[in-house]
Amino acid sequence: MSTLYPPLSQARIQGMPAYQALCAEADADYGSYWARLAREFLSWKRPFTKSLNDAEAPFFKWFEDGLLNVSYNCLDRHVEAGRGDRTAIIFETDDGQTRKVSYRELMAITSRMANVLKSRGVKKGDRVVIYMPMSVEGVAAMQACARIGATHSVVFGGFSAQSLRDRIQDAGAVFLFTADEQQRGGKALPLKAIVDEALEGGSCPTLKDVVVYRRTGGTINWVAGRDHWLHELMDGQADYCEPEWVEAEHPLFLLYTSGSTGKPKGVQHSSGGYLLHAALTTSWTFDLQDSDVFWCTADIGWVTGHSYIAYGPLALGGTEVVFEGVPTFPDAGRFWQMIQKHKVTVFYTAPTAIRSLIKAAETVPAVHPKNYDLSSLRILGSVGEPINPAAWEWYHQNVGGGRCPIVDTFWQTETGGHMITPLPGVTPMAPGSCTLPFPGIQAAIVDELGNDVPNGTGGILVVKKPWPSMIRTIWGDPERFKKSYYPEELKGYYLAGDGAIRNAETGYFTITGRIDDVLNVSGHRMGTMEIESALVAHTELVAEAAVVGRPDDVTGEAICAFVVLKRSRPTGDEAKQIANELRNWVAKEIGPIAKPKEIRFGDNLPKTRSGKIMRRLLRALAKGEAVTQDTSTLENPAILDQLAKAN
Ligand code: WT7
C-alpha cells in the first residue's frame, strides 16, 4: 500500500495565482481534481477507479470502489514511514499536567481499544456512542471505532441524560464509552451518573456494554454485567489490531446537530471523502508543517473536534495539543499560558472565547495576552460564528502580534470541513469576512429560486456542486435530508441555511446569519423549536412558549424565551423564581448550553388571527426595539406592551 502523501512542507499553497490555478483545475474537471487529491492525501488499500457518482443525487457517492481505513491513515502509515516517535498529542489536564503521546503509542492505545470493542462483539457498521471528556482516550475511542469500521457518535459531555438517551436510541447504539467523571474548571462533573440516568428503566435496549474510563476515581454506581472498566478490558488486549478495510462510503460517524424542528438530526459522514477534506483543509487552511504545534480548542463533541482534533491533524502526521479544561481556569490567561508553554504555532478557537477573554483582560490586567510570550504563533483561526471586526482586531494585535494571518473559517457539521476561508499566504484578509471558497468548493449566493444574485446583494448561501466531505444523509431519515438540504426550488444546490453577501469589489463572502430557526449561542448550534419543546415538556407549569435569539456582546446570540404559564402571569420575585426553575428545567432536558438567558412571561403570545406566533415581533421585543412593523394582522396587539418589558 502506498504511504506516499505530500510531506507537509510541500502541501501549502503559494500565493493567489496558485489558488486560482487550483480553482481552475476544479472547474475544468471536477471529478479528476478531487480524485487527484484523494490519491495524494490518503493511502488506499484498494485504489478507487470512480470519483463522483451522482446517479442517485442528492445521495452522492465519492471514490465508491476504493477501500481504506481511516485509523490506518491517521496512525499506521506514519509509524510505517519511520515517524512513530513523533509526538501526536500533547495532552494537558485541567490542573496543568502534561502527557505526551507518540504516534506509536497512540496506535497501540487505539488498537487495544479496538480489540476491546471486538472482544465485546462490536462489528463493522455497529454504532458506538462516545460520551467522554477531552482526553487521549476520547480521541483513541474515535480512532478505535474507525479501526474496526464501527460508526461512532460522539455526544458532547455537556448534554443532559435526556439528550444522551435520544441519541443512543436514534442511533441504535450497541456500545458506549464514557468516564467516571470529567474534570473541568477545578471541578469534577458527573458523566457516568448521567449515563446511568439515560439508560434507566431499560430505555435503550440496543445498548449492551458501558465501558468506563477512570478519570477522577470519584464514586459511581455500577451495573454488573453492563458496566466495565476500560483499563481492565484493555489489560489483556494485544497492542495491534488489524484495520478493517472499508468502502470509501462506509459511515465513519454520526453527529447530532440542531435543525428547524424539535428533533436533532444525525448527520452521517463517510470515510474516504470526509477524511480527504479533513486532511486537505488542515494542510491548506492551517498550512500545517512538521515543525508546527497545532491547537484546536474545540471539544470532540462538536464537528470541529472531529475534523481538526481527531482526524485532520493526525491524518497529516502533525503534532497537536489536546486540552481537558476551560479557558478561564485557573484564570482567564490559561490559553495564553498554554500557547507559551507548548510553543503553539497554529491556534484555532471560537469568537465567543475571544470576546470573553477580551472582557477578562480588560478587568484583570494580569491575564492580558501581553503578559505572555506568544512569539511561537504564526497562524490564528476562528470558527463557529461570525467574528466581529473589533474582536478580530484584538485577536490580530494582542494574540497574533499583528503578524499572524487569521483564517475565519466558515463551515458546518454537515460540510465536514472548511468551505469558505482565507488561506494563509494567499488571501488578503478582511476583518469580519470569511473571504473566498476553498478551492473546489462551488459556493454561491442565490435568490429563493436558485438564481445567482449580483455581488453586493444579499441572498441565500448554496453550494452548487457536491464535494467529498458533504453530509451523506440524516441517519434513518433520508426524506428529511432531501427536504432540509436539497429543496426542489433550488436547482439541485446544497442549501447551507445561512444568508450571505459578497463584496461588490472583492467578491469576498460575509455570512449574515441563519435563515432558519437555528440559533448560534457561543458557537453552539441550537434549534428554537428544540428549546420550545423542552419548555412545554414542563406540563405542570408551561402552557406555551416561543424562543428567539437576540444579539449578545459575548455569546453572539442569546436565547430569549417568551412563556405563557398555566397559572396567572407572575411578577417580581415570583417571576424570577419561576424563570430560574424553567432555566434549570431546560438544562436538565437538553443541557446547560440551552438555558435561556432571559425568560419573559405573558398572558399570551402575539399571534395572527389564524393562530400563528409572530416570531419577528418577538425578535424585535427581545432586542428591546420598538415594534415598527405592521401589527394589523395581529389578533391581540395589546400583548406587545406586556412582553416588551423584562419581568
Ligand atoms: C453554523 C454551523 C463550523 C463548525 C462549528 C459549527 C455558523 C460557522 C462560521 C463563520 C460565520 C459561521 C453558520 C453555520 N458559522 N462558522 N466562520 N462565520 N458563521 O458548526 O454547529 O454545524 O454550525 O455556524 O451559521 O451554518 P455547526
Side-chain angles (χ1 to χ4, degrees):
M1 176 163 10
S2 149
T3 52
L4 263 181
Y5 53 99
L8 301 184
S9 55
Q10 289 172 23
R12 68 195 301 186
I13 306 173
Q14 312 269 342
M16 189 50 89
Y19 167 82
Q20 284 159 345
L22 287 164
C23 296
E25 182 190 343
D27 274 346
D29 187 344
Y30 198 65
S32 303
Y33 167 79
W34 287 114
R36 172 176 75 77
L37 294 167
R39 287 189 191 101
E40 284 177 18
F41 276 82
L42 302 182
S43 301
W44 296 85
K45 177 74 171 175
R46 184 178 73 207
F48 56 88
T49 62
K50 290 185 228 160
S51 186
L52 169 64
N53 175 350
D54 59 5
E56 288 159 53
F59 299 94
F60 300 100
K61 297 188 178 109
W62 287 90
F63 322 124
E64 60 181 313
D65 60 346
L67 275 187
L68 82 169
N69 179 277
V70 167
S71 169
Y72 175 88
N73 273 273
C74 293
L75 304 170
D76 307 43
R77 64 173 176 166
H78 310 308
V79 176
E80 287 171 13
R83 295 157 61 90
D85 293 329
R86 254 181 83 79
T87 300
I89 291 177
I90 303 169
F91 178 63
E92 180 158 320
T93 60
D94 190 50
D95 59 359
Q97 295 167 47
T98 300
R99 169 183 172 199
K100 285 191 181 177
V101 181
S102 70
Y103 273 91
R104 193 187 319 286
E105 288 163 339
L106 187 59
M107 184 175 151
I109 298 169
T110 296
S111 282
R112 289 156 71 113
M113 288 177 82
N115 284 330
V116 165
L117 286 166
K118 278 177 42 176
S119 74
R120 304 304 305 176
V122 179
K123 289 187 292 298
K124 177 183 170 191
D126 285 346
R127 273 82 57 212
V128 172
V129 165
I130 299 175
Y131 187 63
M132 285 181 84
M134 289 297 289
S135 52
V136 171
E137 285 71 15
V139 174
M142 296 164 79
Q143 287 284 341
C145 290
R147 201 161 182 92
I148 68 159
T151 300
H152 62 66
S153 183
V154 184
V155 177
F156 174 58
F159 276 122
S160 66
Q162 177 67 45
S163 296
L164 177 61
R165 181 187 306 137
D166 289 345
R167 285 156 175 76
I168 295 170
Q169 287 174 346
D170 190 82
V174 298
F175 189 101
L176 184 141
F177 280 116
T178 189
D180 49 0
E181 295 176 309
Q182 53 183 333
Q183 182 78 31
R184 282 165 69 84
K187 282 185 280 221
L189 305 166
L191 282 176
K192 174 63 164 60
I194 295 172
V195 171
D196 292 338
E197 193 187 332
L199 301 181
E200 247 167 39
S203 64
C204 301
T206 55
L207 196 81
K208 301 283 180 282
D209 291 303
V210 172
V211 169
V212 187
Y213 165 57
R214 188 154 71 198
R215 169 59 187 92
T216 63
T219 319
I220 53 173
N221 288 325
W222 205 253
V223 177
R226 185 196 74 184
D227 298 348
H228 321 268
W229 283 112
L230 178 64
H231 59 269
E232 286 178 4
L233 293 187
M234 278 174 81
D235 247 359
Q237 299 298 341
D239 274 354
Y240 180 73
C241 170
E242 170 74 19
E244 175 85 28
W245 306 104
V246 302
E247 311 73 34
E249 281 298 317
H250 184 70
L252 175 64
F253 66 86
L254 312 178
L255 186 58
Y256 285 82
T257 191
S258 300
S260 338
T261 72
K263 190 172 172 262
K265 38 195 181 186
V267 171
Q268 180 180 320
H269 276 287
S270 69
S271 296
Y274 169 79
L275 188 65
L276 167 61
H277 206 57
L280 182 66
T281 49
T282 306
S283 177
W284 289 1
T285 308
F286 298 121
D287 188 34
L288 199 71
Q289 310 279 339
D290 279 359
S291 50
D292 279 318
V293 176
F294 179 73
W295 183 18
C296 165
T297 67
D299 191 283
I300 53 168
W302 310 113
V303 73
T304 310
H306 283 57
S307 302
Y308 303 108
I309 295 177
Y311 293 114
L314 297 178
L316 296 177
T319 296
E320 63 175 333
V321 173
V322 173
F323 178 41
E324 180 181 48
V326 298
T328 48
F329 178 81
D331 59 41
R334 184 67 182 269
F335 276 0
W336 325 132
Q337 183 259 327
M338 280 181 63
I339 291 170
Q340 169 179 299
K341 176 170 166 192
H342 300 298
K343 300 195 168 47
V344 171
T345 59
V346 183
F347 180 64
Y348 192 33
T349 197
T352 187
I354 298 164
R355 287 191 297 263
S356 73
L357 297 178
I358 295 174
K359 256 199 170 170
E362 279 167 359
T363 30
V364 184
V367 300
H368 193 282
K370 71 178 174 219
N371 301 304
Y372 300 83
D373 177 5
L374 305 181
S375 59
S376 57
L377 287 171
R378 65 181 197 93
I379 295 170
L380 301 175
S382 170
V383 59
E385 51 179 322
I387 178 163
N388 49 307
W392 193 101
E393 285 298 344
W394 188 91
Y395 194 31
H396 189 57
Q397 291 309 329
N398 294 293
V399 183
R403 67 176 189 282
C404 304
I406 296 180
V407 289
D408 175 0
T409 60
F410 168 82
W411 58 296
Q412 309 175 296
T413 304
E414 293 88 340
T415 71
H418 303 155
M419 298 300 280
I420 308 179
T421 178
L423 301 177
V426 174
T427 324
M429 296 178 289
S433 165
C434 51
T435 74
L436 297 172
F438 192 85
I441 301 298
Q442 311 284 344
I445 302 179
V446 299
D447 63 19
E448 283 81 19
L449 296 172
N451 302 311
D452 286 303
V453 301
N455 287 359
T457 311
I460 300 170
L461 181 66
V462 296
V463 186
K464 290 190 169 179
K465 288 188 190 168
W467 66 100
S469 66
M470 65 188 299
I471 173 177
R472 292 305 192 266
T473 188
I474 292 173
W475 180 257
D477 202 347
E479 277 310 309
R480 188 173 174 200
F481 163 76
K482 274 209 272 195
K483 260 179 56 194
S484 311
Y485 303 107
Y486 285 93
E488 263 163 43
E489 60 281 10
L490 283 185
K491 302 183 173 174
Y493 301 159
Y494 167 83
L495 174 68
D498 284 286
I501 184 165
R502 294 186 77 159
N503 183 283
E505 277 123 58
T506 57
Y508 279 11
F509 287 75
T510 292
I511 307 298
T512 50
R514 299 286 308 195
I515 53 173
D516 53 10
D517 296 319
V518 169
L519 303 181
N520 192 325
V521 182
S522 297
H524 297 148
R525 184 166 152 182
M526 239 132 10
T528 53
M529 294 269 284
E530 223 177 314
I531 305 166
E532 287 168 11
S533 312
L535 283 166
V536 298
H538 198 310
T539 48
E540 213 179 291
L541 262 178
V542 179
E544 212 176 0
V547 167
V548 298
R550 68 150 186 253
D552 184 278
D553 281 352
V554 173
T555 58
E557 274 187 293
I559 302 167
C560 186
F562 294 87
V563 174
V564 182
L565 295 179
K566 286 190 172 163
R567 42 150 286 174
S568 61
R569 174 171 170 262
T571 52
D573 281 349
E574 203 187 8
K576 282 206 184 80
Q577 180 238 316
I578 297 177
N580 229 3
E581 182 180 339
L582 290 179
R583 294 175 72 243
N584 292 335
W585 171 265
V586 172
K588 207 157 161 38
E589 286 285 298
I590 304 176
I593 54 172
K595 273 188 180 181
K597 181 154 185 185
E598 188 183 349
I599 296 182
R600 290 189 199 171
F601 297 106
D603 294 323
N604 204 339
L605 298 172
K607 287 183 193 144
T608 61
R609 288 193 184 97
S610 57
K612 203 167 165 263
I613 298 172
M614 303 216 24
R615 279 162 211 282
R616 63 182 170 86
L617 297 181
L618 291 176
R619 275 193 284 271
L621 293 178
K623 264 198 240 174
E625 281 173 1
V627 173
T628 51
Q629 292 129 311
D630 181 14
T631 55
S632 58
T633 54
L634 218 55
E635 161 88 31
N636 51 348
I639 201 71
L640 295 179
D641 283 339
Q642 189 180 68
L643 294 172
K645 295 174 280 274
N647 304 308

